[in-house]
Each structure stands twice: as C-alpha cells, then as structure tokens.
Amino acid sequence: MTTPKLNYDQIAPQYNQRYPASQTWERGQALLELAQQVNAKTLLEVGSGTGFWLNLLDQTGAALYGLDYSMGMIQQAKNQPAPLHLTRGTGTHLPLRSATFDLVYCVDAIHHFGDHHRFIAEAYRLLKPGGALAIIGHDPHQGSSNWYIYDYFDTVYDTDLRRYPSGQAVLKWMEQEGFRQIADKTVEHIQNVHIGDAVLKDPFLKHSATSQLALLKEEEYQTGLNRIMEALERQKEADERIIFRSDIHVKMFLGYKP
C-alpha cells in the first residue's frame, strides 16, 4: 500500500499554529546544546518548513541553511527574523556541496523523506569531519507514546507505522554509513492532559496542524472529530470526567562523522 503525500503548500500559512507560545520546546534546547558542542559554524535543517527551529538556532551565530520541498513553506520561512539561506529540494537528493556543514538535523520530518536510509547517506556526505547528524521525532514503533489522536481517528496509527522508520533502523543505517558515537535519547517528554471539552482547544486537533490529521480526507477527519464529540456527550450524560492524553516521547538519534 502506498503512503499518501501531503501538499504542504496548502497548509503553510496555518502551520505555525502548532507552535503555541505557551509550549516549552525541550527539543530546541537539545539542538542548541548540540550546535554548541560541535562548535557549529554552518548548520543545515532538512525539512525546515517555516524556519521555526532555524530561527531558534540563530543565537548560536552559525550560518543557517534550510531545505524544504514546499515552496509555500519556504515563503513562510522568509518571514523569520533570522537570516536564512533557503533551498528547495528533497531529503534524498540534497543539492549542496559535500563536507560543508558542522550539523545536519531534521525535526519531525524524516517520515516525509521516503527513502530514509538515503537521507542518512546524504547527510553523511554533507557533514565535515567531526560534524553531527541529529534526527528528532517520535517513534510510533516503540509503543511508549500514548496519543489520543491515534484512538479517535481511523488509519492514523497504521499510516504512521508505514511512514516512520523505527529507531532501531535509523541507528543501524547510521552505523552502515560510517557514523560513530551513535546514540539515542529522549530529548522531550510531552505530557498534555485535556479534560473534557478542553480538548477542543488543543491546537494539534485542527485538521491542518499535523500531517497525521492533514492526510485525512475531510469526511475521515470529521468522523474522528464526531467520535470525540460523542465521547464528550457520553461523559456529560454519565456525569463523568473524560481525559484526552498526549504522552509522547520525542527522541534524538545522533551520530558523528569521524
């Protein structure tokens, strides 16, 4: 079965709704610490989207490069305060010179690249000796995450299992390509609890907020939303409390080019 593709040009103007100012982004702090550790002078984000993470890394003083396939996302990234060098391309054919970057990373993006192993090989080519590759995201294969979206929207979990590589596979491919000091660690533990009607204010419940929901057709999305509404109605009738949990372990898969 083929994995559906998402047109990010269509959702680019609303994409930053997934970054509420009230949210603390520990994965951003992990990226900052890694950039400082490798003394990054040049860094590249693959799947840079609206430039949110690149803008965060402006404080490192490094030259900031971003690559994305969506021109809509690139146009949004041009609005970031930080000076960004933006290129259109895919994660499997990076149109940049070898041995150019001290840090190559992606955040919640590798599942869009298709050939995940190819991306890791390309990242190795672009890194200078001593440079690092960081792949950040959750691993639905581990089963350590509990996200209510998976419970109420049909096919979303199964689609994620097809789109995302397992963490074990990522580490194996890093080793095969020559990376050293390979490791993985949890860099952020998202624990959001929405009680009752409060779930309807969750920005991640919007149709265009995440690729998981944006991939759904309108009727599929409405079916899942109706299930949530029905659960809320049952809660009121039974005078009980229903809890919608987002308990997600965000991992960093890390390797260094010798």
Side-chain angles (χ1 to χ4, degrees), residues 211-241:
S211 64
Q212 281 83 0
L213 295 182
L215 282 169
L216 297 176
K217 296 177 181 178
E218 180 62 29
E219 58 268 28
E220 294 172 329
Y221 172 73
Q222 286 300 327
T223 296
L225 202 57
N226 288 340
R227 286 180 179 145
I228 290 176
M229 300 302 294
E230 290 167 2
L232 291 171
E233 284 299 318
R234 290 194 298 270
Q235 165 206 258
K236 292 177 181 177
E237 292 173 0
D239 195 24
E240 296 176 348
R241 185 178 70 167

mmCIF file of all heavy atoms in Angstrom, residues 211-241:
data_model
loop_
_atom_site.group_PDB
_atom_site.id
_atom_site.type_symbol
_atom_site.label_atom_id
_atom_site.label_comp_id
_atom_site.label_asym_id
_atom_site.label_seq_id
_atom_site.Cartn_x
_atom_site.Cartn_y
_atom_site.Cartn_z
ATOM 1 N N SER A 211 0.650 16.488 10.160
ATOM 2 C CA SER A 211 0.497 15.688 8.945
ATOM 3 C C SER A 211 -0.435 14.504 9.194
ATOM 4 O O SER A 211 -1.134 14.052 8.291
ATOM 5 C CB SER A 211 1.856 15.210 8.429
ATOM 6 O OG SER A 211 2.481 14.327 9.348
ATOM 7 N N GLN A 212 -0.457 14.001 10.437
ATOM 8 C CA GLN A 212 -1.315 12.861 10.743
ATOM 9 C C GLN A 212 -2.776 13.167 10.404
ATOM 10 O O GLN A 212 -3.467 12.335 9.801
ATOM 11 C CB GLN A 212 -1.206 12.488 12.231
ATOM 12 C CG GLN A 212 0.018 11.696 12.592
ATOM 13 C CD GLN A 212 1.244 12.552 12.820
ATOM 14 O OE1 GLN A 212 1.192 13.787 12.712
ATOM 15 N NE2 GLN A 212 2.368 11.926 13.138
ATOM 16 N N LEU A 213 -3.252 14.354 10.782
ATOM 17 C CA LEU A 213 -4.634 14.719 10.512
ATOM 18 C C LEU A 213 -4.805 15.337 9.134
ATOM 19 O O LEU A 213 -5.826 15.130 8.469
ATOM 20 C CB LEU A 213 -5.150 15.672 11.591
ATOM 21 C CG LEU A 213 -5.252 15.079 12.995
ATOM 22 C CD1 LEU A 213 -5.829 16.098 13.971
ATOM 23 C CD2 LEU A 213 -6.083 13.809 13.007
ATOM 24 N N ALA A 214 -3.811 16.088 8.684
ATOM 25 C CA ALA A 214 -3.925 16.742 7.380
ATOM 26 C C ALA A 214 -3.994 15.735 6.237
ATOM 27 O O ALA A 214 -4.536 16.035 5.166
ATOM 28 C CB ALA A 214 -2.756 17.703 7.167
ATOM 29 N N LEU A 215 -3.446 14.540 6.455
ATOM 30 C CA LEU A 215 -3.516 13.497 5.428
ATOM 31 C C LEU A 215 -4.921 12.924 5.269
ATOM 32 O O LEU A 215 -5.226 12.299 4.255
ATOM 33 C CB LEU A 215 -2.542 12.363 5.755
ATOM 34 C CG LEU A 215 -1.071 12.612 5.430
ATOM 35 C CD1 LEU A 215 -0.203 11.520 6.048
ATOM 36 C CD2 LEU A 215 -0.841 12.689 3.931
ATOM 37 N N LEU A 216 -5.762 13.133 6.265
ATOM 38 C CA LEU A 216 -7.110 12.587 6.211
ATOM 39 C C LEU A 216 -7.997 13.414 5.278
ATOM 40 O O LEU A 216 -7.909 14.646 5.245
ATOM 41 C CB LEU A 216 -7.732 12.578 7.605
ATOM 42 C CG LEU A 216 -7.057 11.705 8.667
ATOM 43 C CD1 LEU A 216 -7.742 11.902 10.013
ATOM 44 C CD2 LEU A 216 -7.069 10.235 8.263
ATOM 45 N N LYS A 217 -8.856 12.739 4.556
ATOM 46 C CA LYS A 217 -9.876 13.439 3.789
ATOM 47 C C LYS A 217 -10.838 14.113 4.766
ATOM 48 O O LYS A 217 -10.951 13.735 5.930
ATOM 49 C CB LYS A 217 -10.632 12.463 2.892
ATOM 50 C CG LYS A 217 -9.763 11.807 1.829
ATOM 51 C CD LYS A 217 -10.558 10.797 1.020
ATOM 52 C CE LYS A 217 -9.687 10.120 -0.028
ATOM 53 N NZ LYS A 217 -10.437 9.095 -0.798
ATOM 54 N N GLU A 218 -11.559 15.107 4.262
ATOM 55 C CA GLU A 218 -12.437 15.881 5.135
ATOM 56 C C GLU A 218 -13.430 14.989 5.872
ATOM 57 O O GLU A 218 -13.652 15.148 7.083
ATOM 58 C CB GLU A 218 -13.188 16.935 4.326
ATOM 59 C CG GLU A 218 -14.143 17.800 5.151
ATOM 60 C CD GLU A 218 -13.440 18.617 6.218
ATOM 61 O OE1 GLU A 218 -12.256 18.982 6.025
ATOM 62 O OE2 GLU A 218 -14.072 18.888 7.257
ATOM 63 N N GLU A 219 -14.029 14.018 5.163
ATOM 64 C CA GLU A 219 -15.009 13.164 5.812
ATOM 65 C C GLU A 219 -14.364 12.250 6.856
ATOM 66 O O GLU A 219 -14.977 11.942 7.891
ATOM 67 C CB GLU A 219 -15.775 12.334 4.777
ATOM 68 C CG GLU A 219 -14.925 11.443 3.895
ATOM 69 C CD GLU A 219 -14.508 12.109 2.594
ATOM 70 O OE1 GLU A 219 -14.407 13.361 2.578
ATOM 71 O OE2 GLU A 219 -14.292 11.373 1.613
ATOM 72 N N GLU A 220 -13.112 11.818 6.619
ATOM 73 C CA GLU A 220 -12.401 10.989 7.589
ATOM 74 C C GLU A 220 -12.082 11.798 8.839
ATOM 75 O O GLU A 220 -12.200 11.296 9.970
ATOM 76 C CB GLU A 220 -11.118 10.439 6.970
ATOM 77 C CG GLU A 220 -11.350 9.460 5.832
ATOM 78 C CD GLU A 220 -10.068 9.091 5.110
ATOM 79 O OE1 GLU A 220 -9.143 9.942 5.048
ATOM 80 O OE2 GLU A 220 -9.992 7.959 4.598
ATOM 81 N N TYR A 221 -11.652 13.036 8.628
ATOM 82 C CA TYR A 221 -11.355 13.910 9.765
ATOM 83 C C TYR A 221 -12.618 14.177 10.574
ATOM 84 O O TYR A 221 -12.613 14.101 11.812
ATOM 85 C CB TYR A 221 -10.755 15.219 9.267
ATOM 86 C CG TYR A 221 -10.584 16.256 10.355
ATOM 87 C CD1 TYR A 221 -9.592 16.122 11.320
ATOM 88 C CD2 TYR A 221 -11.433 17.364 10.424
ATOM 89 C CE1 TYR A 221 -9.440 17.059 12.332
ATOM 90 C CE2 TYR A 221 -11.288 18.303 11.425
ATOM 91 C CZ TYR A 221 -10.294 18.157 12.371
ATOM 92 O OH TYR A 221 -10.164 19.090 13.369
ATOM 93 N N GLN A 222 -13.725 14.462 9.893
ATOM 94 C CA GLN A 222 -14.978 14.752 10.591
ATOM 95 C C GLN A 222 -15.476 13.536 11.368
ATOM 96 O O GLN A 222 -16.047 13.670 12.451
ATOM 97 C CB GLN A 222 -16.037 15.224 9.600
ATOM 98 C CG GLN A 222 -15.824 16.643 9.100
ATOM 99 C CD GLN A 222 -15.841 17.670 10.219
ATOM 100 O OE1 GLN A 222 -16.556 17.520 11.210
ATOM 101 N NE2 GLN A 222 -15.040 18.716 10.067
ATOM 102 N N THR A 223 -15.248 12.332 10.815
ATOM 103 C CA THR A 223 -15.647 11.115 11.525
ATOM 104 C C THR A 223 -14.917 11.000 12.862
ATOM 105 O O THR A 223 -15.521 10.686 13.897
ATOM 106 C CB THR A 223 -15.361 9.871 10.659
ATOM 107 O OG1 THR A 223 -16.172 9.923 9.483
ATOM 108 C CG2 THR A 223 -15.666 8.589 11.424
ATOM 109 N N GLY A 224 -13.614 11.253 12.852
ATOM 110 C CA GLY A 224 -12.852 11.215 14.092
ATOM 111 C C GLY A 224 -13.278 12.296 15.062
ATOM 112 O O GLY A 224 -13.389 12.063 16.280
ATOM 113 N N LEU A 225 -13.528 13.497 14.533
ATOM 114 C CA LEU A 225 -13.972 14.597 15.385
ATOM 115 C C LEU A 225 -15.338 14.283 16.000
ATOM 116 O O LEU A 225 -15.578 14.573 17.188
ATOM 117 C CB LEU A 225 -14.040 15.880 14.548
ATOM 118 C CG LEU A 225 -13.961 17.210 15.303
ATOM 119 C CD1 LEU A 225 -12.678 17.289 16.124
ATOM 120 C CD2 LEU A 225 -14.051 18.365 14.317
ATOM 121 N N ASN A 226 -16.203 13.659 15.217
ATOM 122 C CA ASN A 226 -17.512 13.272 15.735
ATOM 123 C C ASN A 226 -17.381 12.246 16.857
ATOM 124 O O ASN A 226 -18.166 12.262 17.817
ATOM 125 C CB ASN A 226 -18.372 12.702 14.606
ATOM 126 C CG ASN A 226 -18.844 13.771 13.638
ATOM 127 O OD1 ASN A 226 -18.856 14.963 13.956
ATOM 128 N ND2 ASN A 226 -19.218 13.353 12.439
ATOM 129 N N ARG A 227 -16.400 11.348 16.764
ATOM 130 C CA ARG A 227 -16.183 10.365 17.829
ATOM 131 C C ARG A 227 -15.804 11.068 19.138
ATOM 132 O O ARG A 227 -16.225 10.656 20.222
ATOM 133 C CB ARG A 227 -15.093 9.380 17.416
ATOM 134 C CG ARG A 227 -15.552 8.365 16.374
ATOM 135 C CD ARG A 227 -14.429 7.433 16.028
ATOM 136 N NE ARG A 227 -14.876 6.439 15.049
ATOM 137 C CZ ARG A 227 -14.115 5.951 14.090
ATOM 138 N NH1 ARG A 227 -12.853 6.345 13.990
ATOM 139 N NH2 ARG A 227 -14.587 5.057 13.245
ATOM 140 N N ILE A 228 -14.995 12.098 19.011
ATOM 141 C CA ILE A 228 -14.629 12.867 20.203
ATOM 142 C C ILE A 228 -15.860 13.564 20.780
ATOM 143 O O ILE A 228 -16.088 13.551 22.000
ATOM 144 C CB ILE A 228 -13.522 13.882 19.861
ATOM 145 C CG1 ILE A 228 -12.210 13.143 19.583
ATOM 146 C CG2 ILE A 228 -13.343 14.899 20.987
ATOM 147 C CD1 ILE A 228 -11.070 14.033 19.142
ATOM 148 N N MET A 229 -16.683 14.157 19.921
ATOM 149 C CA MET A 229 -17.891 14.832 20.385
ATOM 150 C C MET A 229 -18.844 13.851 21.049
ATOM 151 O O MET A 229 -19.472 14.164 22.078
ATOM 152 C CB MET A 229 -18.571 15.537 19.215
ATOM 153 C CG MET A 229 -17.718 16.601 18.528
ATOM 154 S SD MET A 229 -17.172 17.916 19.636
ATOM 155 C CE MET A 229 -18.740 18.681 20.040
ATOM 156 N N GLU A 230 -18.959 12.642 20.476
ATOM 157 C CA GLU A 230 -19.829 11.622 21.068
ATOM 158 C C GLU A 230 -19.309 11.186 22.439
ATOM 159 O O GLU A 230 -20.091 10.958 23.374
ATOM 160 C CB GLU A 230 -19.923 10.419 20.125
ATOM 161 C CG GLU A 230 -20.710 10.709 18.848
ATOM 162 C CD GLU A 230 -20.518 9.632 17.794
ATOM 163 O OE1 GLU A 230 -19.794 8.644 18.070
ATOM 164 O OE2 GLU A 230 -21.076 9.787 16.690
ATOM 165 N N ALA A 231 -17.981 11.070 22.549
ATOM 166 C CA ALA A 231 -17.393 10.716 23.846
ATOM 167 C C ALA A 231 -17.675 11.804 24.879
ATOM 168 O O ALA A 231 -17.950 11.509 26.061
ATOM 169 C CB ALA A 231 -15.891 10.495 23.697
ATOM 170 N N LEU A 232 -17.636 13.049 24.466
ATOM 171 C CA LEU A 232 -17.939 14.154 25.370
ATOM 172 C C LEU A 232 -19.404 14.123 25.801
ATOM 173 O O LEU A 232 -19.734 14.404 26.970
ATOM 174 C CB LEU A 232 -17.606 15.489 24.692
ATOM 175 C CG LEU A 232 -16.117 15.772 24.473
ATOM 176 C CD1 LEU A 232 -15.935 17.017 23.611
ATOM 177 C CD2 LEU A 232 -15.386 15.933 25.802
ATOM 178 N N GLU A 233 -20.287 13.778 24.876
ATOM 179 C CA GLU A 233 -21.711 13.692 25.215
ATOM 180 C C GLU A 233 -21.963 12.560 26.212
ATOM 181 O O GLU A 233 -22.740 12.723 27.161
ATOM 182 C CB GLU A 233 -22.538 13.476 23.941
ATOM 183 C CG GLU A 233 -22.707 14.722 23.098
ATOM 184 C CD GLU A 233 -23.427 15.826 23.837
ATOM 185 O OE1 GLU A 233 -24.417 15.523 24.545
ATOM 186 O OE2 GLU A 233 -22.975 16.990 23.753
ATOM 187 N N ARG A 234 -21.301 11.418 25.985
ATOM 188 C CA ARG A 234 -21.463 10.296 26.915
ATOM 189 C C ARG A 234 -20.963 10.676 28.307
ATOM 190 O O ARG A 234 -21.536 10.276 29.325
ATOM 191 C CB ARG A 234 -20.723 9.060 26.398
ATOM 192 C CG ARG A 234 -21.359 8.429 25.168
ATOM 193 C CD ARG A 234 -20.795 7.036 24.916
ATOM 194 N NE ARG A 234 -19.364 7.067 24.646
ATOM 195 C CZ ARG A 234 -18.833 7.194 23.440
ATOM 196 N NH1 ARG A 234 -19.622 7.334 22.375
ATOM 197 N NH2 ARG A 234 -17.515 7.193 23.286
ATOM 198 N N GLN A 235 -19.888 11.463 28.327
ATOM 199 C CA GLN A 235 -19.343 11.910 29.601
ATOM 200 C C GLN A 235 -20.368 12.763 30.353
ATOM 201 O O GLN A 235 -20.581 12.592 31.563
ATOM 202 C CB GLN A 235 -18.075 12.720 29.351
ATOM 203 C CG GLN A 235 -17.606 13.543 30.548
ATOM 204 C CD GLN A 235 -16.805 14.751 30.138
ATOM 205 O OE1 GLN A 235 -15.589 14.734 30.239
ATOM 206 N NE2 GLN A 235 -17.470 15.796 29.664
ATOM 207 N N LYS A 236 -21.020 13.673 29.634
ATOM 208 C CA LYS A 236 -21.996 14.546 30.296
ATOM 209 C C LYS A 236 -23.192 13.752 30.804
ATOM 210 O O LYS A 236 -23.687 13.987 31.913
ATOM 211 C CB LYS A 236 -22.444 15.626 29.313
ATOM 212 C CG LYS A 236 -21.351 16.631 28.954
ATOM 213 C CD LYS A 236 -21.836 17.642 27.924
ATOM 214 C CE LYS A 236 -20.725 18.613 27.554
ATOM 215 N NZ LYS A 236 -21.159 19.569 26.501
ATOM 216 N N GLU A 237 -23.650 12.795 29.993
ATOM 217 C CA GLU A 237 -24.809 12.003 30.389
ATOM 218 C C GLU A 237 -24.512 11.147 31.622
ATOM 219 O O GLU A 237 -25.379 10.943 32.477
ATOM 220 C CB GLU A 237 -25.243 11.110 29.225
ATOM 221 C CG GLU A 237 -25.809 11.887 28.047
ATOM 222 C CD GLU A 237 -26.079 10.998 26.843
ATOM 223 O OE1 GLU A 237 -25.810 9.775 26.944
ATOM 224 O OE2 GLU A 237 -26.544 11.519 25.812
ATOM 225 N N ALA A 238 -23.280 10.664 31.706
ATOM 226 C CA ALA A 238 -22.898 9.816 32.841
ATOM 227 C C ALA A 238 -22.335 10.619 34.004
ATOM 228 O O ALA A 238 -22.015 10.050 35.054
ATOM 229 C CB ALA A 238 -21.862 8.783 32.390
ATOM 230 N N ASP A 239 -22.250 11.942 33.802
ATOM 231 C CA ASP A 239 -21.682 12.818 34.834
ATOM 232 C C ASP A 239 -20.294 12.327 35.248
ATOM 233 O O ASP A 239 -19.977 12.239 36.445
ATOM 234 C CB ASP A 239 -22.609 12.908 36.048
ATOM 235 C CG ASP A 239 -22.238 14.067 36.962
ATOM 236 O OD1 ASP A 239 -21.618 15.024 36.466
ATOM 237 O OD2 ASP A 239 -22.538 14.005 38.168
ATOM 238 N N GLU A 240 -19.488 11.987 34.253
ATOM 239 C CA GLU A 240 -18.122 11.517 34.482
ATOM 240 C C GLU A 240 -17.129 12.469 33.821
ATOM 241 O O GLU A 240 -17.507 13.382 33.086
ATOM 242 C CB GLU A 240 -17.952 10.097 33.919
ATOM 243 C CG GLU A 240 -18.813 9.068 34.624
ATOM 244 C CD GLU A 240 -18.706 7.689 33.998
ATOM 245 O OE1 GLU A 240 -18.139 7.595 32.871
ATOM 246 O OE2 GLU A 240 -19.189 6.730 34.601
ATOM 247 N N ARG A 241 -15.864 12.211 34.093
ATOM 248 C CA ARG A 241 -14.796 13.024 33.522
ATOM 249 C C ARG A 241 -14.032 12.189 32.505
ATOM 250 O O ARG A 241 -13.622 11.072 32.802
ATOM 251 C CB ARG A 241 -13.842 13.507 34.610
ATOM 252 C CG ARG A 241 -12.771 14.457 34.101
ATOM 253 C CD ARG A 241 -11.884 14.952 35.228
ATOM 254 N NE ARG A 241 -11.024 13.898 35.752
ATOM 255 C CZ ARG A 241 -9.984 14.117 36.564
ATOM 256 N NH1 ARG A 241 -9.712 15.345 36.961
ATOM 257 N NH2 ARG A 241 -9.248 13.114 36.983
#
